[in-house]
Amino acid sequence: MWERTLQDLIRGLRANKKDESKFIAKAVDEIRSEIKGEDMELKAGAVLKLTYLEMLGYDMSWASFHVVEVMSSPRSHLKSVGYLAAGQSFNEDTDVLMLTTNLLKKDLSSTPADVAVTLNGLANIITSDLARDLAPELVAMLNHSRPAIRKRAVLTMYKVLMKYPEAAASARPRLVERLEDADQGVIAATANVLCELGRRRPQDYLTLAPQLFHILTTASNNWLIIKIVKLFGFMTPHEPRLVKKLQPPITDLISTTPAISLLYECVHTCIIGGMLQGTSGSALAKTCVTKLAAFLQDEDQNLKYIALLALTKIVPTHPYLLAEYQDVVLACVNDQDISIRMRALDLVCAMVNRDNLQSIVQQVLSHLVPETSSTMQPTASQSLAQHAIPVSPTNPRPALSPNQSPAYRLVLSQHILEMCSQNTYDNITNFEWYISVLVDLAHVANVDIGAEIRDQLVDVVARVKAARRYAVKLMYTLLTDETFLQNAQEEGSCKEVLWAAAWICGEHCRELTDPQQLLPYFFTAEVSHLTPDIIAVYIQAATKIFGYWAAELAERWDNEMLPELKEVVEAIVESVTEFSGSTHIEVQERAANALQLFKFIQADINTFQPKPYPNSGFSVPGPSSSFDPIPPSEPHFPKSLYLIQPLFNVYDLNPVARQAQASVPIPEGLDLDAWIVPPPPEPEPEAEPSEPRVKKSKKGKEKEGVNGTKTKGSKKKKDAEQLEPQDVLIPDQEETQEERALREKRKAERLAQLKDDPYYIIDDRSPPPTREDFDSIPVVKLEGMPSLQSIHDNRLPSLKPLPISSSVTQFVIEKEGEMPAGAVFPLLSSSPASRPQTTEPVLHLAAPVPLSSFPQYEVPDDIARTVTPEPVKVVRTKKKGTGKKKRTTDAS
Amino acid sequence: MIHAVLIFNTSGVARLTKFYTPLHQSSQAVIQKIFSLICSRPAGLCNFLDAPELEGFLGQNVDDDDRWRVVYRNYATLFFVFVVDGAESELGILDLIQVFVEALDRAFGNVCELDLVFHFDEVHHILAEIIQGGLVLETDVEEIDKAVHLAAKTRSESFASANPLSLTGGGLGSRGAHIKTPLGWLTGKLTGVGAR
């Protein structure tokens, strides 16, 4: 019988390269039969062959039982095959591992050679069960007479402790003893294990500091010292006293060691251990930086890499030390090695400040510009030409320049954004420059970074008022850029920037001289290929722009304008109609809304009689608007010109502070804990005392804690409310009475609410009035809030409307964002908005507060009308006369 | 700790794979990914593979100190790749690769790729004398060499006692397989420790 050995298999594989899978299938069949046989040699041979195939990616989990069989062979050469195969193919879930416990125990007490094999194998296959069962044996083995075994036992102990931490109690003392072992190898292994353990729980190992310190000062093995230094690095943050102790030896090591690996570790430990603080520390920092900077210019790329790694750690605390090396670092960003570039980018990112940001960004940006300008946009190349510092873009590059790799381009782009936006644009002095950088980036990035650029654009424009005009200008060119639009469907086109462009132009269209010229660009044929979210913004932006423009027209109305107006409206209606059939719900909704608005305008215009003072030929019967700027009679322009603007332009959108939401004062009388929809079944109709209790027990966490007993007691006797007061602990009595009043009030409120609840049946409900109330409530609220300073809450996601303040300062960044006027909780660093709070600033739309709880409806009646119109019903549109109301707010 | 030791040749064929930490994806995918990144790097670059594609691929959070790093070295037709985490020193690992190769060289005598191909089990045994369960066991080549020889001797003695009739009981312990090797051209390549 001729069996294939491993060598035969390998040879066969090499001979059958063309038909490998067939050959392997055949070989696996052979293995299957061999592995089942009685002959242990043969079985082991089969397992070894399988292990080889496993390396090539073939499954061998089916053979795990046979692997255990081979492991249990008494012969060393077979046993080692078994353990090798187990180490390669077993994992946590391998069920046969349960069978191995006794085998392992036996092997651990076998000959030293077998013990070594077993320890090594065990380190690979250990599970928490094995760790638990074998821990005693392994702990004992830490004192084995042979250093080679002790070494392995120490390392295996790490695995045991990972899987079965309970073993620490018995293992730790012996492990620590090994730090003073006679054998250097054992000490190194122990330091290795302690380093791994200490990394996870440094505070547990602080007591070892003296021994470790002794090793640090006496050992000569670099491996060992590196591990000790690393371990100290993990420990110092938890024990400041170590810093003083360590400073001398580490300083010594830094200045004397020839081993760069050790030097790097020392520097690293200094940094994370905070040893560079204070006067002696800064001297040390200077030494480190000087040493490391020398590596930056070393020919050895590895040193360069390591130096960059270390410098990145040092920069945050000692930026000034690096200033003089800026050019060297920037040269590294240009390195042909992508690994070095990545680290250099990190470093550069940490180095930027107000003075060097622009030049650094331009340099980095220039890496993204394709060397053979292919599809470049004028904007990009132009502005690059303006700013670009000659960076030797003509560098002779290897065939595959890292610049071409999409992943690298993405990293570059992200770093640019990160550098600029650090600390809310702390480093930016010129925001016009930054906006142009963003636009350039969108053009040249050629990777999927559009969404980030979009967010930055919107954020910057919201925060920096002075940059808006410039931003709108750039966005305008972007929107009218046909090539960009055409490329939008390609990968990495950054089309999301169009979202920002449309939004910015829409929101700040007053910066545009001829806003209507932009309108056609929102409805070109290519637009329909954009993603739905962009289209939705396009529609919205078009509506805003039209609204602004129309209002403008109205102010300088001239009958000559009518044809143009008609044309524009018609074009819009036509395009929007198309979108209103979109399958994307957001697009559809926006389009449908816009469509109704524009249809109404269209109807108005079509019936408009261009006379100096025409009577309304138009549907509004009643006194349309008592507050038209043009006093009593009908205006001489189509009134619908004022339909849209107030919907959008009343308030400015400003950034909202991070804690704004949390700082909204809770309006008096609003109980956030009150049920909106009370829990259904409980003793509902009964007298109130029982009811609040129910509420408490269900949800009032904080209350429950206080008087849990009460809740329980009351539950038992819930039908007997009479008892309640007695039942309640005496100290609470006063409170309860107050509470009771409150509860009664709440209950009344709740009951009132219930009336509106379609899912709640009350016998005595009176439906008709509610409907009407319901209708009026939100309207009133909307308008009311501005004038009542007391309440407002900002729930708009990221921006919120505020009156415009026209003062144009040189790039004031609203870093904090806005806080609600009556912000109450002084959260974290919640400082009030940096901008002056204008008198009636904070009105808030979208107040999702429970309806019932709003007491204040005292709203100027006229304003109330403005917002009411439900777009669909043409009848209601008459109220559009409200357009003028905007002026009130605008003026503020 | 060390999470993986890989050896593959310049065509990306694995010659040794040892994972000390279970991966969340197939080892072949990892090898292919690392190979594709490494082989595109011209000689003379640094030995640390740091590529944007790699981050996330190894399934580690991008926390800087716990980032998995790939340290590799190229010897003739082979790439030796170590995947390590922040507890290892990058330059130290670079030295360790050198130690590993020296150990192989001593064991096989002027090691070449074919040695690794035909004695992949032996390579594992040598590696086991340097790294155990992802932690470095020994860094001294002399010590490693001694231990390798000792283990090989144990195995070959065990083999000889089990196969008294075998002609090449002194083989590397890989079951004396090369006795059966009919190909003369290979014998030169197959000189193992025992045959030296």
Side-chain angles (χ1 to χ4, degrees), chain A residues 780-793:
Chain A
V780 173
K781 212 166 19 152
L782 277 176
E783 292 308 318
M785 304 226 258
S787 48
L788 303 178
Q789 294 196 338
S790 58
I791 303 194
H792 40 65
D793 73 326

Side-chain angles (χ1 to χ4, degrees), chain A residues 238-522:
Chain A
H238 297 270
E239 176 52 279
R241 282 175 299 174
L242 273 176
V243 174
K244 270 225 163 72
K245 183 86 176 143
L246 284 173
Q247 237 170 12
I250 290 205
T251 312
D252 196 41
L253 278 175
I254 288 178
S255 35
T256 59
T257 182
I260 289 111
S261 47
L262 180 54
L263 172 67
Y264 167 74
E265 292 310 333
C266 290
V267 171
H268 185 233
T269 292
C270 288
I271 296 161
I272 60 175
M275 285 177 214
L276 302 183
Q277 314 306 328
T279 43
S280 59
S282 63
L284 187 55
K286 180 107 176 100
T287 322
C288 290
V289 171
T290 327
K291 280 233 167 200
L292 291 170
F295 293 149
L296 277 187
Q297 296 160 63
D298 199 287
E299 281 195 0
D300 188 340
Q301 295 275 317
N302 291 330
L303 297 191
K304 223 188 241 187
Y305 180 90
I306 294 294
L308 288 169
L309 264 187
L311 285 173
T312 309
K313 300 248 158 67
I314 241 174
V315 177
T317 49
H318 299 77
Y320 52 91
L321 287 176
L322 244 97
E324 55 179 302
Y325 302 109
Q326 187 184 323
D327 290 340
V328 188
V329 176
L330 277 175
C332 291
V333 180
N334 238 352
D335 199 282
Q336 54 164 343
D337 187 342
I338 195 166
S339 301
I340 297 213
R341 283 186 183 217
M342 296 271 292
R343 299 285 69 94
L345 268 182
D346 278 351
L347 178 55
V348 161
C349 224
M351 279 171 66
V352 289
N353 57 39
R354 289 178 80 90
D355 301 324
N356 60 17
L357 177 78
Q358 292 205 10
S359 67
I360 289 180
V361 168
Q362 290 302 345
Q363 280 223 37
V364 177
L365 195 59
S366 69
H367 288 245
L368 288 169
V369 181
E371 277 122 72
T372 53
S373 70
S374 49
T375 60
M376 269 319 81
Q377 302 307 312
T379 32
S381 34
Q382 272 171 12
S383 68
L384 278 176
Q386 268 179 8
H387 303 279
I389 294 156
V391 196
S392 69
T394 48
N395 244 0
R397 289 225 163 76
L400 185 70
S401 159
N403 282 351
Q404 256 96 56
S405 140
Y408 178 66
R409 296 177 74 85
L410 183 62
V411 169
L412 266 183
S413 311
Q414 284 165 341
H415 274 88
I416 293 178
L417 294 183
E418 193 193 322
M419 276 187 259
C420 295
S421 58
Q422 269 171 14
N423 298 324
T424 326
Y425 317 107
D426 227 359
N427 295 322
I428 297 183
T429 45
N430 183 344
F431 279 91
E432 295 187 356
W433 167 82
Y434 183 45
I435 291 170
S436 71
V437 165
L438 288 173
V439 174
D440 289 346
L441 188 58
H443 278 109
V444 299
N446 206 14
V447 287
D448 204 8
I449 185 101
E452 285 89 334
I453 301 178
R454 172 194 67 198
D455 294 347
Q456 289 273 292
L457 279 170
V458 172
D459 195 42
V460 167
V461 170
R463 287 181 193 273
V464 188
K465 288 204 172 77
R468 281 181 192 166
R469 171 171 288 271
Y470 183 76
V472 169
K473 197 178 103 197
L474 274 191
M475 295 300 111
Y476 186 95
T477 43
L478 200 60
L479 286 173
T480 54
D481 184 341
E482 283 169 22
T483 9
F484 194 86
L485 189 57
Q486 274 158 11
N487 294 338
Q489 290 164 70
E490 287 168 22
E491 192 86 349
S493 61
C494 292
K495 54 182 177 298
E496 292 87 350
V497 174
L498 290 174
W499 192 105
W503 188 85
I504 290 170
C505 284
E507 189 59 30
H508 303 292
C509 52
R510 72 181 74 86
E511 307 285 356
L512 290 170
T513 37
D514 284 317
Q516 81 283 7
Q517 286 178 2
L518 196 51
L519 289 173
Y521 293 99
F522 288 125

Side-chain angles (χ1 to χ4, degrees), chain B residues 114-145:
Chain B
L114 274 181
D115 295 325
L116 307 196
V117 174
F118 283 98
H119 298 283
F120 99 105
D121 51 342
E122 184 60 23
V123 179
H124 270 289
H125 294 318
I126 295 170
L127 181 61
E129 299 300 335
I130 304 174
I131 300 169
Q132 175 187 306
L135 298 180
V136 176
L137 181 69
E138 184 56 70
T139 53
D140 183 355
V141 187
E142 295 294 336
E143 290 286 325
I144 294 166
D145 195 39

Side-chain angles (χ1 to χ4, degrees), chain A residues 828-850:
Chain A
L828 306 176
S829 63
S830 77
S831 59
S834 53
R835 48 196 299 314
Q837 297 240 326
T838 2
T839 45
E840 22 151 16
V842 205
L843 53 145
H844 252 305
L845 320 171
V849 198

Side-chain angles (χ1 to χ4, degrees), chain A residues 77 156 199 302 305 339 343, chain B residues 47-48 50 66 118 132 158 177:
Chain A
H77 69 289
T156 311
R199 192 156 71 106
N302 291 330
Y305 180 90
S339 301
R343 299 285 69 94
Chain B
N47 295 94
F48 309 108
D50 214 339
D66 260 348
F118 283 98
Q132 175 187 306
S158 162

